[in-house]
Amino acid sequence: MFTKYLIVFLVSMVPLMELRLAVPMAVGMGLDYWISLVVCVIGNMLPVPVIYLFARKVLVWGAGKKRVGKFFRFFLDKGEKAGQKLMAKAGRGGLFVALLLFVGIPIPGTGAWTGTLAASFLNMGIKSTAGAVSLGVVMAGIIMGVGSHTALHVFGL
């Protein structure tokens, strides 16, 4: 049982997969939903301070490198575009709610990693970023849990 929780914990830390894959995995494995949600939220939030403090600097550094520049530039552009999109929709005053919804509505490319990177480009502040992202991650986890349980019961998956 511990191994299954460890798997969903680790999956929830991986960019692009995050909690959006880990919660359905937990439901599919028959794990307790509420325990899984807590495990996945912790796993998804663990990288947030590191992303906020260092990812932008690493991406800027790597974007200028000959062999890996395209890879780093892709993520740098993704973070910049996400930040611009948030700012355009919310303005400076509504950034907290915009970031919460950006992370909380589980569509591809809008998870904690991208949201945190976007917030770092907007110099939103670590406390505001962590608050908005954590609430968004919980929201996404609940949505994914409801969707996974519904699919499991309705379609017999």
Side-chain angles (χ1 to χ4, degrees):
M1 188 65 74
F2 175 78
T3 304
K4 290 180 180 181
Y5 283 111
L6 181 60
I7 290 168
V8 296
F9 174 79
L10 294 172
V11 167
S12 68
M13 292 176 66
V14 177
L16 303 176
M17 293 186 217
E18 301 183 36
L19 169 131
R20 288 152 170 74
L21 177 62
V23 169
M25 281 178 60
V27 170
M29 289 183 204
L31 298 174
D32 180 83
Y33 169 69
W34 295 108
I35 294 172
S36 298
L37 180 62
V38 170
V39 167
C40 291
V41 167
I42 292 169
N44 204 178
M45 289 302 298
L46 206 57
V48 166
V50 175
I51 297 164
Y52 186 86
L53 296 171
F54 301 110
R56 182 175 166 190
K57 293 173 185 168
V58 170
L59 293 174
V60 168
W61 170 84
K65 302 300 178 206
K66 187 175 183 176
R67 295 186 183 183
V68 293
K70 283 185 179 183
F71 176 80
F72 284 90
R73 173 52 68 194
F74 171 79
F75 289 103
L76 188 61
D77 290 344
K78 188 171 179 63
E80 287 175 349
K81 286 177 186 173
Q84 292 168 358
K85 188 177 180 180
L86 280 173
M87 186 61 88
K89 288 190 176 189
R92 187 48 101 178
L95 270 180
F96 184 91
V97 173
L99 181 59
L100 185 155
L101 293 174
F102 180 82
V103 173
I105 299 172
I107 57 176
T110 64
W113 282 72
T114 305
T116 303
L117 186 58
S120 76
F121 279 101
L122 296 171
N123 297 313
M124 199 169 148
I126 188 73
K127 289 181 182 178
S128 294
T129 299
V133 170
S134 62
L135 291 171
V137 165
V138 170
M139 182 176 150
I142 291 170
I143 292 169
M144 293 307 298
V146 168
S148 299
H149 279 291
T150 302
L152 191 67
H153 294 297
V154 171
F155 302 113
L157 299 175

